[in-house]
Structures are given as structure tokens and as C-alpha cells.
Amino acid sequence: MSRWANLAYFTQTFSRWHDGIAHANYASEWTERFGALTPREHAAADRLRPVLQRGDGESDGAALLAAVLPRGGPDEAARAAIGVWMPADYEAWAEAVAAFTPRFDRLWTEAEPRLRAHALALTGTGPEWLAEAAAATDRFFGMDTRAHRVEVVLLASAEGWHGGNGPMLTGPGGMTFECSGMRPRQFEALLPSFLHELMHCLHQPAVLPRLLAELRTEPDLAASEPGAYRATAIGRTGLSFEDYFGEVVLHSLWPAGAQAGRHRPDSGPGLWRRFASGAELYDWWVFFAAGVLAGRARVYVDQEHPINLGFLRHAYDVHSALRRHARPQPTR
């Protein structure tokens, strides 16, 4: 639980450079609560935005942030930035941090004790269902995560919101989880989402690349993928073929998929029904596909059958069905 990591995350949020990392709803709430942005904050955010969006707008900015966010403070971050940030870009970053620090200090007074309580919950034994749920997730991927170490960086979130970006902002061996917007008594409800982010750090990189490589060599796919995928609406957002199927597979388990249905049956079916009736682009291609795949995942989970190429084939077939019948959608 790091003040510096939270300041770095808070700062980049106001640049609104990326929908999945710099959440607009967080920035909006923190603006409403702590007042309109000052001219200095506006200028700093505007200067930082193109720095983080340079390149493909998906991985470059995250790589820049991963060089500085998990450090111990501004001095360590400045040393780590050498060779990753261009000097002029880092000046824009440092100015943004300085501009947003007074606003951040007001949030940190409230966020710090909540994050500390959440950190204590994670270092304890957790609720009764959690150990078996984690073990079942390991069995599905055919691995023992007790042999691995992950550093979890807890971050601020808007009131009532939580989220995470796996290792995107920390690099391998770490993960971020935004949760200060949730009160301590609500934290157990966040654990399915926490397990999803943990899978991004441990299970996905250990297992899925090999299976996806095998899938792409199958005769009917070898000549077409991932090129055909890149032509879809979800592919045009910049989400890679590998990362897309990673999201579909992981969401078929947690936080509202097969493992959640087995270990947290009170979660209910409302999530998938909502996505089916009002899905936007990401919902349609990722969450709805994962909801369909969850039926196959539940069979694997109940039979303690580890993921295999057949499971990835089924995921691909679900995606192909969506691809054939998708209406043109904006790439927002």
C-alpha cells in the first residue's frame, strides 16, 4: 500500500488517456468532490495526455507508467524512468504529479485507512470459501500458484467502484487493484474481481500462450488468424488476439463465471442478462462471449478437468459466432 503509487495512478487518471486505465468516472467524481480543475491542472493533464497516448495508445502508455508507478517514491521513480521515458516526456509527468498532489492529498486522507483495512484482509485467512475457490482455479489451469509470489498494489477508486489492470501497471510479478471506493465491510464482495486480476498475473501467462499457439496452427485457422480478428470491431480497438482470448477465458471463470457460480452462487445471473440486453462493444465481444463460454467452463470445473486445447477451440467458436452475426459497431 504505497502513497507514491496512488499519487501516480491518481495523476494519470486526469489525463483521460485510456478508457481502461484512466477511468473517466474516477476523474469526474474526484473533480466533483474536490472542485473544478485549476488552470495548472488543466494544462498539466493536457500536456501529459499525448505523451501516454503516443504509439498505439494501448501498451506504450502503460509501459511508461509501469516504469514509475510501483517505485518507492519520486526519486526512485526518476531513476527507473531513465531509458524508458524521453526527458521532455518525463518533465511533463513530473509537472502533472506536482500539479495534482494538493488534490490527491485530500483524497488520500480518506483512501489510506480504507486501503489499509483491505490490505489487512488480504494478508489474513480470508472468508471460508476463498481458499477452496483459489485451489479450484489452480486446478483448472493445472498449476500450483503457491510456488509464485505476487506483489499487490492497492489503489484508489471512486466511491462505490473497484477495478484492476493485472500486471499492466507493475510489470511481471505484480498487479494493481483499485478498491478505496469500497468500505471494509464490502471487501469480500470484491474478491471475485480480485481473483480475476490475479489470474492475469499467474495463470494466464503460464498456460494460455501455449494453448493459443496450438490453436492458431490448426488448418482452418493458420492462414486467417490473427489477421481476421484484427478486422473485427474488438480487434480494431488494439486489443491483441492473445489478450482478447485471455479476457474471455478468465471472465468465463471470475468474477461472474463458472468458478463464481460454484463458490459464490449468491452472485446471480443478472450480469450476463444486463450485458445481453444493453451490451456495448467490449461487453458484446468479451463479457457476453465469456458468459456463453462459462457453461463449458462449469463442466470442466465440476469434473476437475484442466483447461486444454478443446476449451480454447470452444472459446474460438463462440467468438466466431459473434463475428458472423455482429452488426457494425463503433470502435469507441
Side-chain angles (χ1 to χ4, degrees):
M1 199 196 72
S2 160
R3 182 185 185 280
W4 165 255
N6 273 271
L7 173 57
Y9 180 76
F10 183 86
T11 297
Q12 66 85 34
T13 299
F14 287 89
S15 70
R16 300 180 186 239
W17 73 279
H18 185 291
D19 289 343
I21 301 175
H23 296 295
N25 56 305
Y26 290 13
S28 297
E29 195 228 44
W30 293 334
T31 300
E32 181 178 346
R33 290 184 59 193
F34 304 124
L37 298 188
T38 66
R40 183 187 181 190
E41 289 173 328
H42 265 300
D46 290 344
R47 184 183 175 192
L48 181 61
R49 185 178 308 109
V51 170
L52 296 175
Q53 287 179 332
R54 188 172 297 124
D56 62 15
E58 289 292 326
S59 60
D60 289 1
L64 293 177
L65 292 171
V68 297
L69 184 146
R71 308 305 165 190
D75 294 339
E76 184 181 333
R79 291 191 295 270
I82 297 173
V84 182
W85 289 74
M86 297 292 289
D89 292 345
Y90 196 77
E91 288 179 10
W93 166 254
E95 167 54 29
V97 170
F100 282 98
T101 293
R103 181 181 296 267
F104 169 76
D105 286 339
R106 297 174 65 186
L107 175 69
W108 190 238
T109 299
E110 173 188 282
E112 180 182 19
R114 288 189 184 181
L115 291 179
R116 194 169 299 282
H118 299 336
L120 288 173
L122 287 174
T123 56
T125 57
E128 184 177 350
W129 62 268
L130 183 59
E132 172 52 29
T137 302
D138 290 346
R139 286 194 296 272
F140 179 85
F141 286 95
M143 61 185 295
D144 180 2
T145 60
R146 292 173 296 180
H148 301 267
R149 175 182 174 86
V150 175
E151 182 175 79
V152 179
V153 181
L154 298 183
L155 297 175
S157 64
E159 190 69 20
W161 289 81
H162 69 280
N165 281 290
M168 188 178 293
L169 302 181
T170 64
M175 62 175 277
T176 58
F177 193 61
E178 308 136 29
C179 55
S180 76
M182 309 300 288
R183 299 177 187 276
R185 66 177 179 274
Q186 300 171 308
F187 193 70
E188 182 175 347
L190 305 188
L191 291 173
S193 294
F194 179 83
L195 289 170
H196 175 91
E197 299 304 329
L198 191 64
M199 288 191 296
H200 277 303
C201 300
L202 296 178
H203 306 82
Q204 179 178 352
V207 176
L208 290 189
R210 173 183 58 81
L211 291 176
L212 283 168
E214 291 182 36
L215 179 72
R216 287 172 55 180
T217 63
E218 298 209 327
D220 60 331
L221 302 184
S224 61
E225 298 297 356
Y229 163 79
R230 287 195 293 266
T232 65
I234 187 66
R236 290 196 300 271
T237 68
L239 185 67
S240 73
F241 182 86
E242 292 76 13
D243 287 343
Y244 168 77
F245 280 97
E247 287 291 357
V248 171
V249 169
L250 300 193
H251 275 289
S252 77
L253 300 171
W254 297 106
Q259 294 282 25
R262 183 181 185 188
H263 299 283
R264 300 287 293 166
D266 56 333
S267 60
L271 179 66
W272 303 123
R273 188 163 298 159
R274 175 168 61 84
F275 287 150
S277 63
E280 296 185 8
L281 187 150
Y282 198 87
D283 305 327
W284 166 266
W285 289 97
V286 176
F287 296 134
F288 188 63
V292 177
L293 185 62
R296 177 65 60 91
R298 184 60 189 262
V299 174
Y300 276 61
V301 167
D302 288 346
Q303 295 180 357
E304 297 189 1
H305 194 303
I307 187 173
N308 57 12
L309 182 58
F311 190 86
L312 264 293
R313 287 194 191 107
H314 190 69
Y316 184 85
D317 290 343
V318 171
H319 166 73
S320 295
L322 293 178
R323 182 190 293 185
R324 288 195 303 273
H325 299 289
R327 291 176 292 180
Q329 299 171 50
T331 56
R332 47 169 290 194

